[in-house]
Amino acid sequence: MLRAIIVDDEILVRATLEKMVDWAAEGFQLAGCYANGQAALEAMERCPADLVFTDIKMPVCSGLEFIDGVHALGLAPHIVVLSAFDEFPLVKQAFKKGAADYVLKQDGYEALLAAVNRAVERINTTQVEQNILSTATERAQAALPWLQREFVLDLVHGAPYDGARL
């Protein structure tokens, strides 16, 4: 099961998001709700989340600072930025920092659920890609001894060695 967290300084927003989405039905465990980015970063150090909903404007540590902190920890969760403000410069900054989505709080349940669905789709796609890459890496590793043996045998039997082509 994927892990999700909510980061918002407004307790009513945190409680609404917590109750509004059927997290388990969407494939998530709601692992925590935090009042600021700093508290969420400390939690992410101990137990990373796959999906983060974060307010963009918060005291102590803003959503933009939180995103920087997440990347500094070497984590790459799917980040959905929440805001009560329709300010293009903030949206632009959030996307430049790696946010995957942006939802206006006043757009309500439908917009939030659509963001959750997009997150699930992207996370699943990423996991499939990682599985394919892992399988390909394993197969290449398994084939390496055979390829090395064939190379040496070719050299022994007089095949020309072309370092540039190799």
Side-chain angles (χ1 to χ4, degrees), residues 1 3 35 42 48 82 105 116 124 147:
M1 185 168 275
R3 296 172 42 82
E42 291 169 7
L82 303 170
K105 292 177 184 179
V116 170
N124 288 338
L147 291 170

Coordinates of all heavy atoms in Angstrom, one line a residue, residues 1 3 35 42 48 82 105 116 124 147:
M1 N 0.9 -1.2 0.0 CA 0.0 0.0 0.0 C 0.9 1.2 0.0 O 1.9 1.3 0.7 CB -0.9 0.0 1.2 CG -1.9 1.1 1.2 SD -3.2 1.0 2.4 CE -4.4 -0.1 1.6
R3 N 1.9 5.2 0.7 CA 1.8 6.1 1.8 C 1.6 7.5 1.4 O 2.2 8.0 0.4 CB 3.1 6.0 2.7 CG 3.3 4.7 3.3 CD 4.7 4.6 4.0 NE 5.0 5.7 4.7 CZ 4.6 6.0 6.0 NH1 3.9 5.2 6.6 NH2 5.0 7.1 6.6
A35 N 1.3 20.2 10.4 CA 1.0 21.6 10.4 C 2.0 22.5 9.7 O 1.7 23.7 9.4 CB 0.8 22.1 11.8
E42 N 10.7 16.0 8.9 CA 11.2 15.2 10.0 C 10.6 13.8 9.9 O 11.2 12.8 10.0 CB 11.0 15.8 11.3 CG 11.9 17.0 11.6 CD 11.5 17.9 12.8 OE1 10.6 17.4 13.6 OE2 12.1 18.9 12.9
P48 N 9.5 7.7 4.5 CA 9.1 8.4 3.3 C 7.7 8.1 2.8 O 7.2 7.0 3.0 CB 10.1 8.0 2.2 CG 11.2 7.4 3.0 CD 10.7 6.9 4.3
L82 N -1.2 22.5 -2.8 CA -2.5 23.0 -2.5 C -2.3 24.5 -2.3 O -1.3 24.9 -1.6 CB -3.1 22.4 -1.3 CG -3.3 20.9 -1.3 CD1 -3.6 20.4 0.1 CD2 -4.3 20.5 -2.3
K105 N -7.6 25.0 -3.4 CA -8.4 24.5 -2.4 C -9.9 24.7 -2.6 O -10.7 23.9 -2.4 CB -8.0 25.1 -1.0 CG -6.7 24.7 -0.5 CD -6.3 25.4 0.8 CE -4.9 25.0 1.2 NZ -4.6 25.7 2.4
V116 N -5.6 13.0 -6.9 CA -5.3 11.7 -6.3 C -5.2 10.6 -7.4 O -4.3 9.8 -7.5 CB -6.3 11.2 -5.2 CG1 -6.1 9.8 -4.8 CG2 -6.2 12.2 -4.0
N124 N 2.0 4.4 -10.4 CA 1.9 3.0 -11.0 C 2.8 2.9 -12.2 O 3.5 2.0 -12.4 CB 0.5 2.6 -11.3 CG -0.3 2.3 -10.0 OD1 0.3 2.1 -8.9 ND2 -1.6 2.4 -10.1
L147 N 28.9 -13.0 -22.8 CA 29.4 -12.1 -23.7 C 30.9 -11.9 -23.6 O 31.6 -11.8 -24.6 CB 28.7 -10.7 -23.6 CG 27.2 -10.7 -23.9 CD1 26.6 -9.3 -23.5 CD2 27.0 -10.9 -25.4

